[in-house]
Structures are given as C-alpha cells and as structure tokens.
Amino acid sequence: MSAANGCCGDGLSPHGLRKATCRSLAEAGCNAHEIMAISGHQTLAEVTRYTVAANRFHLAERAVAAMERKETRTKTVKPA
C-alpha cells in the first residue's frame, strides 16, 4: 500500500506525520537544530517554515506579558 493510499491508516501519510511532529516540536520551543536532529531534515530552510510561525506566537505572548507587567507597575492609587 502506498503513502497516497494511507499506509499509516485513517488518511495519514509519513510526510504529514513528520510535518505534525516538526510543528509540535517548534510549538514546544525547540529550535531549528533540535528539530533537524529528530526529523532528519538536511537544511535550516526546510525547518524554518515550522519555527517561524511558532516563534511568532511565542513572541506575541511575550509582548502581551510585557505590556501587562508595565500596566501593573504603572498603576497609581488616588489618595482618599
């Protein structure tokens, strides 16, 4: 049975499983070299597509947290 016919069952393919694993690793905070060590990709360009989106998400989370910390520090209490 070929990959196109769902060799992995339920419409899954080796490529799709590899892609899902790479994306999960990137979302977990793994860098490109760590992902390459697991996935077998040969170039950084191949794994960059997985890390760019995950990095963007993590950077956005950090930016929101920084704004929340700033707002907490700058709140003032009006005298009674």
Side-chain angles (χ1 to χ4, degrees):
M1 186 177 275
S2 71
N5 294 332
C7 72
C8 300
D10 297 328
L12 302 175
S13 69
H15 174 76
L17 293 172
R18 182 182 187 197
K19 180 178 179 179
T21 300
C22 291
R23 184 172 180 102
S24 293
L25 290 166
E27 290 171 353
C30 294
N31 65 41
H33 292 283
E34 292 168 329
I35 295 169
M36 288 171 67
I38 291 172
S39 69
H41 284 97
Q42 297 297 309
T43 68
L44 286 173
E46 293 174 322
V47 287
T48 298
R49 66 183 65 129
Y50 305 113
T51 58
V52 167
N55 288 343
R56 187 175 298 128
F57 177 77
H58 290 297
L59 289 171
E61 282 185 325
R62 288 178 49 198
V64 169
M67 285 294 286
E68 289 172 349
R69 285 191 305 273
K70 180 181 182 277
E71 289 173 5
T72 300
R73 288 191 312 260
T74 59
K75 285 186 179 178
T76 57
V77 178
K78 292 183 180 181

